[in-house]
Amino acid sequence: MSEELKSALSLVKKVLKEVRIYNQASTVLGFDQQTICPSAGMEEEGDVAAFLGNKAFALQKDQAYIDACQYIYDHRDGLTADVCGDAASGESPEVAAEFDRALAESLQRDFAREKNISAEMQLEHSQIYNRAFVNWINAKKAKDFGLFEKSLGEVRTAQLQAESLHGNREATPYDTIFGGYERGLTCADLDMAFNRCKERLVPLLKRIMASKKKIRTDFLSRPVTDEAQKEMAKYLLDVMGFDFNRGAFSTAEHPFTTEPGKNDVRVTTHYYPTAFYSSMFSIIHEGGHALFEQNQPAENFSHFIEYNKTMGMHESTSRFYENRIGRSKEFIRLIFPKCKELFPNVFCDVTEQEFYEAMNTVTPSLIRTEADEFTYTFHVIIRYEIEKMIVNGAENGEPVNIADLPKIWNAKYKEYLGIEPSNDAEGVLQDVHWTSGFGYFPTYALGNMYNAMYYNKMNSEFDLSAAVLKGDFAKINGWMKENVWARADREAPKDWIRQITGRDFTPDDFLDYLEAKYSEIYEL
């Protein structure tokens, strides 16, 4: 049997190696499309990327490959050292076996999601998402949701079609879709976490808004050149431990991180001439994603599981660096001299404490990516509630009219944050995510909750604040590599966070942190 298993495993890895080549080329084109591609060429370039992606998809529709995947999954208990050992790889047979079992389980999840979707349907869906991205760009520039409305309806139809063909459907369409981002979690988990957030954060927000503490923010709108912001981005990535030999950064309309290959991780930011801090914290956020990719086990790549980590795991890292570290007193003290050097006209009359408080001011705002750490969770809750309506329908079971989304969006901002958008660009059109489907947004909030749990665990093992103050990111990243990143691609989120912290998932660590930090800042 072991020889038959070896043969099946060899076939699967041979196909996946070719799949990776197509996907890598498609990913590079996708990066190009969002960074330097001229506007007139965006749709064409997107079509080429979709074509390459479809080639990768079609390879996995070959019956011999499907049979081999099923065989190694059915016989995954037989993936032992004597079957998986490969002296040429330099891995121990025991390690190879563990990673191959993770591969077998990953392939089974992929198969359940895609087995009933033809290559033709996959290409059609890719083209829908590509058109949606181009139309979103145009609609956002024109501040007119009407230019995106039809595309968003097509995205919903495509995603619901894919969900209906899923081999392991959950209780609701949204549960199935969300499971693709955060396996093992459902709307019940999200509703529990978000209801607890509303219970504790809504009254605290009212107390903060009623506080007499005034935080200075006038200097935040002072002009800064793109070149100075670029130098700051390089500095911040360097401080964090970003490996420039295996990574690069550029600019995009909406900051993102992408990973074409093992030694190619790319981050982007966006420069605003009168909001220097936006790029700073975007690059810290995206740098966190990049560190996750650059520090994952090499075995992930040799066993084709490098994309098994969930979005919540990923967002936990990016928001750990952006908020728990980046907005801390210690990090502000660490980078303050460089801020004064690169932005002299901004910081000529600003103290370190004023900068710290400004980076942690609580001000209900319209734009999610510019939201303060405290109110950010409300932005996610709003999107989650609207996504459920789009996918599952309204409470009466009726499908939500896509044309009504701007009104629904504006009403929820009024309800939760007491403000309303003046146009669609700062409202329902502000995020790129819905051009490729629904379900991503809750992972941002889950990321905050995960990292609050492992922050406390890390801090119990060494003085994290002292390490930040010294700029000792080798120590911080070393702990993250060993405890947070090492097993992410081999474990489901609930098991992963329990393995790191020894505790079950809870939002309470995050809520405790917010209450303590902002009560101090606002002198409550």
Side-chain angles (χ1 to χ4, degrees), residues 341-524:
E341 174 191 333
L342 293 178
F343 307 146
N345 64 309
V346 172
F347 289 97
C348 57
D349 61 348
V350 177
T351 67
E352 181 185 305
Q353 180 66 18
E354 286 174 329
F355 186 34
Y356 166 71
E357 290 182 352
M359 290 302 93
N360 289 285
T361 185
V362 175
T363 305
S365 60
L366 295 168
I367 308 301
R368 176 186 61 84
T369 56
E370 308 303 331
D372 60 79
E373 181 185 24
F374 185 90
T375 60
Y376 186 89
T377 303
F378 292 107
H379 292 263
V380 174
I381 291 172
I382 289 168
R383 285 156 177 76
Y384 166 63
E385 292 179 351
I386 292 176
E387 284 189 337
K388 278 204 303 182
M389 295 169 65
I390 293 172
V391 173
N392 290 347
E395 291 184 4
N396 61 7
E398 292 296 319
V400 169
N401 188 343
I402 295 294
D404 292 337
L405 290 183
K407 290 189 297 183
I408 295 170
W409 181 286
N410 295 354
K412 285 190 175 291
Y413 266 80
K414 183 68 173 178
E415 176 187 357
Y416 286 114
L417 293 171
I419 53 178
E420 289 186 81
S422 62
N423 61 67
D424 292 338
E426 62 184 23
V428 70
L429 286 173
Q430 67 180 265
D431 296 298
V432 68
H433 301 59
W434 286 349
T435 64
S436 57
F438 312 97
Y440 193 129
F441 285 116
T443 66
Y444 289 115
L446 287 173
N448 285 333
M449 296 168 189
Y450 293 151
N451 73 40
M453 294 181 68
Y454 62 67
Y455 179 101
N456 289 339
K457 178 64 174 178
M458 185 190 307
N459 199 44
S460 73
E461 297 185 10
F462 67 88
D463 190 337
L464 182 50
S465 294
V468 174
L469 190 58
K470 291 189 297 184
D472 190 358
F473 278 81
K475 186 167 190 174
I476 296 168
N477 295 347
W479 194 94
M480 293 288 286
K481 183 175 182 178
E482 180 180 350
N483 295 279
V484 175
W485 301 329
R487 299 191 59 84
D489 292 86
R490 285 173 285 155
E491 294 183 346
K494 289 182 177 179
D495 296 330
W496 170 78
I497 197 64
R498 189 183 302 112
Q499 181 264 333
I500 297 169
T501 66
R503 301 160 52 219
D504 289 332
F505 167 70
T506 174
D508 291 338
D509 292 50
F510 175 60
L511 297 174
D512 291 344
Y513 155 72
L514 289 182
E515 288 176 349
K517 177 177 181 177
Y518 289 94
S519 292
E520 177 187 357
I521 290 174
Y522 280 90
E523 300 172 355
L524 301 179

